Amino acid sequence: MIVRKKAALLLFYGLLAIAAPSHTQGNSPGYELEVDELLDWKRVYEHSGTLILQTNPADSRDSSRVASVGASGGYIVYRAKSSLRSFAVYAYGTADRAFERLRFSISADGKTYRSVTPDLHEDGGDRGDPPAAVYESRGFPSGTKYLKIAFTGGEAGSGTTPAIGKAVLNGPGTAGASKTSGPVLYGSMIMLNRASEESDSVVYYTTDGSDPRTSPTRKRYGSPIPIVSYTTLKTTEAALSGADQETGGKVSTYTYVPYPLTPQPPGLSDPLDDFGKTAVRSNLYLAQNDSVYFDNDGSRAARATTSGGMLLYRTDYDMTSFAARSFYFTGQPFEKLRFYASPDGQRYEEIVADGYPSGYPESNWQPYSYESSSLPTGTRFLKIELRGTAKAWTPQLSELAINRTTASVTLASSRSGNVVRAEMSSATSGARIYYRLNKNEDYVPYTGPIRLQGYNQLETYAVKDGLLPSPLRSYSVNASSDVQVDRFGQMETAKFAGKVTGEAQLAADAKADADYYGSLTPPRDRDKYGGLAGSAVKYGWTATGFYGIRQMGGRPVMTTPEGNLYFSLAVNGVTAQETYSLIKGRETKFEHVPPYAGEYKPAYLGTDNFSFFVANKYLKTGRFSTESDIYAEAIGRLQKWGFNAIGAYSPEKYGEEGRFPYYRMLPLEGMSWARLDGLSIFDIYAPNAEAKLDQAFAQSVAPHKDDPMLVGYFIGNEFDFHRFYTDVPKLKASSAAIKGKLVETLKGKYVTVEAFNAAWKTSFKSFDEMKDSALTLKASPAWRDMDAFFAAYLDDFFGTVSRLYRKYDPNHLLLGDRWITTTFHNETVRRMLAEAEGKYVDVISLNYYTYKLEPDLLQEVFVKSGGKPILMSEFGYGTSEQGLEPLLKNSAANQFQRGMRYRNYVEGVAVLPYTVGANVFNYVDQAGLGRYWQGQWGEHYNSGLVNVADRPYKDYLAAAKATNDVIYQVMLGERPKFYYDFSKK
């Protein structure tokens, strides 16, 4: 019998209603778990004579129960051994489900009782059994000891009064709702829980007394439920699929009485179920589909077309505040709603409403709230505009309240060591504030500043009696010792002049920028392509319409489309791409990152990568800069700093607009079919390589063959040619055609595997065995064979690329493949690359990072290539002042020295009689914790002309401009090159 009773207990906890993780308070002092199976009256403190014990050994659910044999007035009293914290009473009903006929009250002295409204978890009575229920309540005042259960209805023997099968004092309960039934403070939020967070189910509820399993008014739970009037909340948990999807399971009932109830002030609440409360509207209709995506809102205002939509509200009283709830689809560009206030409907002024994500997204629909707590005096008209050029159905306006909503919670925080002091406030005087920390089970009252450690998520709201609760507002507070990047994207521990410490500083930058850039003047001796104006006439050169290579007194030089002398001073990476940092999985490393859902969405790349640079520019200007905006702005800045082109790894599509000289890359990097695993070498022997290149060049090269602003094309970037001898022989022919070509070449030379083994000192049984086996270079013939194969590969690669390139573009320069410095310093590779490229390219390009130029090696490349000019396609210096890496360690202690490095390098290059330019890396510093596509190990260099706050490095740029402005005089020997002696610093 006892075993069956325990089984029944488990049945109820497993099946009844929305059983959440239990509130287990352990064996805390003052509370003792007591269970009465009601086998007898021994555990009952007192009971009336109208109650009887019923025994039925055949009843599998509960073999003994207490029932009333009187019309009414029967009761049971329990006296807890210690204090009474909670109870759970198990009952079995009748066909009419008359569970309301039990009443519960508690007492400290057994004389004076107060009524308790318990939560009610009903079992539907499956398998033909009568319905069953559990009554629960908890959280009683200290000193409570007595529980009284009264039977209040039914005639004797009628079977209409529930029977009690078990009583549990101070036991764990099923916390389906965050608050127990009964009186609750006005504006309390009720949270509902599933039986298990891992369960594949949803919770439905109603607040109109109807059955949540079948009611057409039921709602799917997604966000907390505010209690602002008497509420009967009924809930059920249903499977996401299968037979229970529509009907749900057990039903729980919670009854809430809010206090105090205060009359609402004059105002307006519009749920937008119709347009009856609006004065005027345009281009709007009521969207009534898919309410589950909109937090159960079955009617929202949406635009009929992508043109703007408008709602106008008019009142006979002054509007002092408003709150609006909207939804937008996160898969589309985010555009805020706009609000305008007017006293007379004639003169409107735009209101800057506070906007923020408010609630939990569903299927990419993000709730978003707007509010203003201080409308202009005398406002009687409020106009709301919906905008968005992508899709008419986003955003949507869900509801509006005027003068009726409590202002949301704002958070101020200050940090001391590893502790953050968080202080909350609301603009509504007298409002109560509640918060939920790190997804706890319930909201708690805010009584004063809280001290936080580690990484925290706060969810807050405020409520004032008589007003609606404020929208939910979430904050992240990172008090972790792991913080490395501050809220502006600067390195936390770095101390430097000009470090941003507040938003107001960024806002003030707008004027400072205008003054700074307005004080700069571009060099006056340039043609529109960045060349030396008038030099074509001086040297007798004619215009060709394109950049080209000519000879000037035995020296190869580049010329502009007008025929003027050109020395390339380009800036690489004119884009925000390298400022995006991976956030997901590293949240504790950032002091604060605005949420993806909302205002700062344009600063995200995908949902996981954030650019503080883009966000800071927004704080400076009040608008988000697009990629095109950044590019266009950079052109004006670069011209004033004396640069004359935009270099590699910049958005090429904007170069096509013809505003500034630019460079392009051939599309080899994107050709996965020619990629070797872990080795940056293009596999020219991949099947159908020439045909695929031909097709790609036809699509990407041919359209730009007549563009005069295009300087030329780079073939690739930093190929691993210095690893050719060590890595190519170890590849597998089954996945790398170049390895198959090597084996084929060796077979053609040696004919027999025995001859090959003798020369290479190996022991292969066949040439086929060699295809997927690693070959090692142990003997001199092996090295000579690899010399020959490398030379053949280079000829095949550059020859094929050059031939196909010139087929589609005979006008522009082919600029080589941007050697990595390691390749340049490898004597064998340097010689062979120079000889091979000299036959096919117009310019040899080097990504040449160095403390000191090496004219002897550069001269060797020039000679071996047959006199092809050299372009320094990438170089740069940095400092560690701002906590970033310095590109070349110990090259500069500050931005002044960085500028001196620039001058030494560029002017030193310009006087060499075979160079045509030096392109610096790059426009903006890289992200403090690494550029996003390289994850946590990404490059994070102080490489930019501007930093993460879009503040220019003025000392560095003053030096760069000093060199850029006189570069042609230096190049022509009309003034000596600049040199700063770092040995004397």
Side-chain angles (χ1 to χ4, degrees):
M1 187 180 298
I2 300 297
V3 172
R4 286 201 299 271
K5 290 240 176 186
K6 290 184 178 177
L9 179 64
L10 293 174
L11 174 66
F12 277 114
Y13 279 101
L15 297 180
L16 287 180
I18 37 181
S22 298
H23 287 286
T24 54
Q25 299 185 20
N27 297 319
S28 53
Y31 301 111
E32 182 177 342
L33 174 65
E34 300 178 54
V35 179
D36 185 4
E37 302 282 2
L38 285 168
L39 304 176
D40 50 39
W41 297 109
K42 291 181 180 178
R43 294 181 182 271
V44 174
Y45 178 72
E46 182 182 341
H47 68 88
S48 67
T50 57
L51 301 182
I52 62 170
L53 288 172
Q54 297 176 333
T55 302
N56 183 2
D59 191 329
S60 62
R61 294 199 298 175
D62 200 318
S63 61
S64 65
R65 306 172 184 176
V66 169
S68 174
V69 295
S72 63
Y75 65 89
I76 295 176
V77 176
Y78 284 97
R79 184 179 188 277
K81 294 178 180 178
S82 53
S83 295
L84 179 65
R85 178 193 64 198
S86 65
F87 68 77
V89 174
Y90 297 80
Y92 300 90
T94 60
D96 63 355
R97 310 177 67 86
F99 290 115
E100 71 277 6
R101 293 173 185 162
L102 291 180
R103 293 289 184 264
F104 299 82
S105 54
I106 57 175
S107 172
D109 58 9
K111 297 177 182 178
T112 304
Y113 283 85
R114 72 174 180 86
S115 177
V116 172
T117 303
D119 305 336
L120 176 61
H121 309 299
E122 297 181 65
D123 186 341
D126 298 336
R127 303 175 306 280
D129 292 328
V134 178
Y135 301 85
E136 290 190 324
S137 192
R138 61 189 185 275
F140 304 144
S142 176
T144 300
K145 293 184 70 68
Y146 295 88
L147 168 65
K148 185 175 184 179
I149 309 167
F151 294 74
T152 63
E155 296 296 330
S158 65
T160 59
T161 302
I164 299 175
K166 182 193 303 291
V168 179
L169 309 185
N170 296 328
T174 56
S178 57
K179 295 187 185 303
T180 189
S181 296
V184 295
L185 270 173
Y186 175 89
S188 293
M189 291 285 185
I190 306 302
M191 301 180 65
L192 303 180
N193 301 298
R194 295 181 300 175
S196 169
E197 289 302 314
E198 288 74 37
S199 65
D200 185 22
S201 63
V202 294
V203 174
Y204 291 103
Y205 71 94
T206 62
T207 55
D208 58 6
S210 59
D211 189 329
R213 296 172 297 183
T214 56
S215 174
T217 63
R218 75 175 184 174
K219 299 177 181 180
R220 180 171 168 175
Y221 176 74
S223 58
I225 303 164
I227 304 300
V228 293
S229 61
Y230 179 90
T231 302
T232 298
L233 175 64
K234 291 194 173 186
T235 72
T236 188
E237 186 168 5
L240 283 173
S241 59
D244 289 336
Q245 183 176 12
E246 293 301 323
T247 62
K250 314 304 177 272
V251 175
S252 293
T253 301
Y254 307 90
T255 304
Y256 299 109
V257 181
Y259 68 90
L261 285 177
T262 305
Q264 288 187 325
L268 178 151
S269 298
D270 188 359
L272 284 164
D273 293 336
D274 53 39
F275 288 117
K277 297 185 178 182
T278 59
V280 179
R281 74 176 190 275
S282 65
N283 194 34
L284 294 176
Y285 72 99
L286 291 176
Q288 297 177 325
N289 60 313
D290 301 322
S291 62
V292 69
Y293 298 153
F294 304 96
D295 198 17
N296 300 296
D297 190 342
S299 181
R300 297 89 50 201
R303 291 173 299 149
T305 71
T306 54
S307 298
M310 184 272 288
L311 281 173
L312 180 66
Y313 290 89
R314 181 187 183 281
T315 61
D316 295 327
Y317 45 82
D318 286 355
M319 302 181 190
T320 57
S321 66
F322 74 83
R325 181 171 169 84
S326 71
F327 292 85
Y328 77 91
F329 191 77
T330 57
Q332 298 293 333
F334 172 67
E335 290 198 36
K336 282 187 170 183
L337 304 186
R338 293 191 178 183
F339 302 86
Y340 303 85
S342 171
D344 55 12
Q346 302 295 320
R347 298 170 289 110
Y348 283 90
E349 65 174 291
E350 185 168 4
I351 302 302
V352 180
D354 198 6
Y356 47 87
S358 179
Y360 314 116
E362 181 72 36
S363 296
N364 293 320
W365 281 99
Q366 172 65 49
Y368 200 83
S369 290
Y370 300 86
E371 63 176 319
S372 175
S373 299
S374 55
L375 291 177
T377 301
T379 295
R380 295 291 179 98
F381 294 81
L382 179 66
K383 183 166 61 176
I384 306 172
E385 290 185 353
L386 284 72
R387 300 187 179 190
T389 57
K391 299 292 181 181
W393 40 260
T394 181
Q396 297 187 14
L397 180 62
S398 174
E399 56 186 318
L400 174 76
I402 295 173
N403 295 0
R404 289 278 178 83
T405 306
T406 313
S408 68
V409 176
T410 57
L411 181 73
S413 60
S414 58
R415 180 168 183 150
S416 177
N418 293 331
V419 176
V420 167
R421 183 179 186 269
E423 190 168 357
M424 304 178 212
S425 62
S426 167
T428 300
S429 177
R432 298 187 302 275
I433 294 174
Y434 296 87
Y435 69 95
R436 187 164 73 112
L437 181 61
N438 297 327
K439 299 183 178 180
N440 284 342
E441 294 181 356
D442 200 2
Y443 293 87
V444 297
Y446 171 76
T447 57
I450 57 177
R451 292 164 55 86
L452 300 173
Q453 292 182 291
Y455 184 80
N456 301 273
Q457 290 180 310
L458 280 170
E459 190 174 272
T460 68
Y461 77 95
V463 63
K464 183 174 182 179
D465 297 338
L467 295 178
L468 297 173
S470 75
L472 294 176
R473 194 160 190 176
S474 298
Y475 296 94
S476 61
V477 179
N478 192 358
S480 168
S481 59
D482 198 26
V483 173
Q484 297 180 35
V485 175
D486 70 14
R487 68 184 191 273
F488 301 107
Q490 305 162 127
M491 301 310 291
E492 176 79 5
T493 58
K495 309 295 181 185
F496 56 90
K499 187 173 186 178
V500 176
T501 58
E503 286 77 1
Q505 294 172 345
L506 287 172
D509 275 359
K511 183 180 185 306
D513 284 353
D515 293 343
Y516 169 67
Y517 291 111
S519 71
L520 302 176
T521 304
R524 302 182 185 277
D525 59 350
R526 307 291 163 87
D527 69 11
K528 69 176 183 178
Y529 299 101
L532 180 61
S535 56
V537 175
K538 178 178 179 179
Y539 296 108
W541 295 329
T542 59
T544 64
F546 304 98
Y547 287 88
I549 299 297
R550 303 177 190 261
Q551 295 293 317
M552 184 184 71
R555 170 181 179 165
V557 295
M558 194 184 297
T559 55
T560 69
E562 293 181 353
N564 289 314
L565 179 65
Y566 181 75
F567 189 84
S568 178
L569 295 170
V571 176
N572 294 325
V574 179
T575 173
Q577 281 290 309
E578 301 203 3
T579 70
Y580 288 90
S581 190
L582 175 65
I583 303 298
K584 186 176 182 180
R586 305 198 296 173
E587 291 85 354
T588 61
K589 295 182 182 296
F590 301 90
E591 177 188 14
H592 174 69
V593 182
Y596 169 78
E599 182 177 9
Y600 282 85
K601 180 184 174 185
Y604 276 85
L605 191 64
T607 58
D608 301 338
N609 309 300
F610 184 77
S611 170
F612 288 98
F613 172 73
V614 173
N616 288 337
K617 287 186 70 65
Y618 171 65
L619 290 171
K620 288 176 67 168
T621 64
R623 61 182 295 271
F624 280 101
S625 299
T626 65
E627 185 180 62
S628 176
D629 294 335
I630 293 170
Y631 191 97
E633 180 181 64
I635 289 174
R637 293 175 174 184
L638 297 183
Q639 287 175 318
K640 291 188 173 185
W641 288 324
F643 295 101
N644 59 15
I646 287 180
Y649 293 106
S650 304
E652 297 170 351
K653 59 185 175 182
Y654 304 122
E656 299 165 16
E657 297 173 358
R659 293 177 291 178
F660 205 52
Y662 74 108
Y663 290 78
R664 297 184 72 92
M665 297 284 297
L666 289 179
L668 273 63
E669 285 189 2
M671 297 179 177
S672 58
W673 52 267
R675 194 173 296 141
L676 300 174
D677 188 25
L679 185 64
S680 179
I681 290 177
F682 189 90
D683 194 346
I684 194 62
Y685 303 114
N688 303 312
E690 183 166 342
K692 292 176 181 178
L693 283 170
D694 188 283
Q695 181 182 16
F697 287 4
Q699 295 173 350
S700 63
V701 174
H704 310 292
K705 66 182 180 64
D706 297 321
D707 185 352
M709 281 293 180
L710 175 58
V711 178
Y713 286 82
F714 294 110
I715 295 173
N717 184 67
E718 298 184 346
F719 289 122
D720 289 334
F721 290 137
H722 56 286
R723 295 170 55 191
F724 194 93
Y725 288 75
T726 57
D727 289 39
V728 170
K730 296 177 182 178
L731 296 173
K732 293 184 177 182
S734 56
S735 57
I738 192 173
K739 175 61 177 302
K741 182 67 174 178
L742 172 59
V743 174
E744 177 187 324
T745 301
L746 294 172
K747 182 178 180 180
K749 174 180 179 179
Y750 290 104
V751 181
T752 69
V753 71
E754 290 79 12
F756 170 79
N757 285 334
W760 278 59
K761 300 189 182 303
T762 57
S763 57
F764 291 104
K765 296 178 181 179
S766 68
F767 285 106
D768 284 343
E769 183 187 352
M770 294 163 54
K771 291 181 179 180
D772 276 9
S773 300
L775 306 182
T776 55
L777 279 59
K778 300 178 181 178
S780 295
W783 287 96
R784 289 193 295 271
D785 288 342
M786 283 304 298
D787 282 341
F789 183 67
F790 186 37
Y793 164 82
L794 293 175
D795 196 73
D796 290 339
F797 173 55
F798 288 109
T800 302
V801 170
S802 175
R803 173 166 40 81
L804 294 176
Y805 166 72
R806 298 185 195 283
K807 172 183 174 181
Y808 292 104
D809 188 346
N811 301 322
H812 293 106
L813 298 171
L814 190 59
L815 301 168
D817 60 302
R818 300 166 60 86
W819 299 4
I820 192 171
T821 307
T822 309
T823 293
F824 175 69
H825 285 146
N826 186 305
E827 181 179 0
T828 299
V829 176
R830 180 177 67 244
R831 171 181 54 80
M832 296 181 71
L833 264 179
E835 291 174 351
E837 290 193 45
K839 294 186 288 183
Y840 299 111
V841 304
D842 300 302
V843 175
I844 304 285
S845 53
L846 312 180
N847 290 355
Y848 185 35
Y849 290 86
T850 184
Y851 295 94
K852 182 179 180 182
L853 297 177
E854 300 162 293
D856 53 336
L857 302 185
L858 296 169
Q859 174 76 21
E860 177 189 331
V861 171
F862 175 64
V863 172
K864 293 293 183 182
S865 68
K868 292 296 171 73
I870 299 173
L871 169 67
M872 307 310 173
S873 45
E874 186 175 306
F875 80 97
Y877 301 95
T879 78
S880 58
E881 286 178 304
Q882 301 199 10
L884 304 175
E885 292 296 313
L887 280 170
L888 286 175
K889 292 185 182 299
N890 303 317
S891 60
N894 50 47
Q895 295 299 322
F896 169 80
Q897 288 192 355
R898 190 179 173 210
M900 297 301 101
R901 287 288 186 189
Y902 179 94
R903 298 202 69 181
N904 284 359
Y905 187 104
V906 175
E907 297 194 27
V909 166
V911 300
L912 297 176
Y914 40 75
T915 57
V916 292
N919 297 350
V920 71
F921 179 82
N922 62 340
Y923 180 61
V924 190
D925 282 341
Q926 295 174 325
L929 291 186
R931 48 189 185 182
Y932 73 98
W933 67 85
Q934 293 174 318
Q936 61 178 327
W937 308 114
E939 289 184 7
H940 48 286
Y941 290 121
N942 167 221
S943 53
L945 310 182
V946 298
N947 71 1
V948 68
D950 193 38
R951 289 183 163 179
Y953 290 112
K954 295 180 180 179
D955 289 345
Y956 169 47
L957 288 162
K961 179 172 172 57
T963 285
N964 295 347
D965 285 357
V966 300
I967 194 64
Y968 291 112
Q969 292 92 316
V970 173
M971 183 181 182
L972 296 172
E974 296 173 359
R975 61 179 296 161
K977 71 175 182 179
F978 175 87
Y979 182 72
Y980 180 85
D981 190 350
F982 278 85
S983 68
K984 297 180 180 180
K985 62 183 177 181

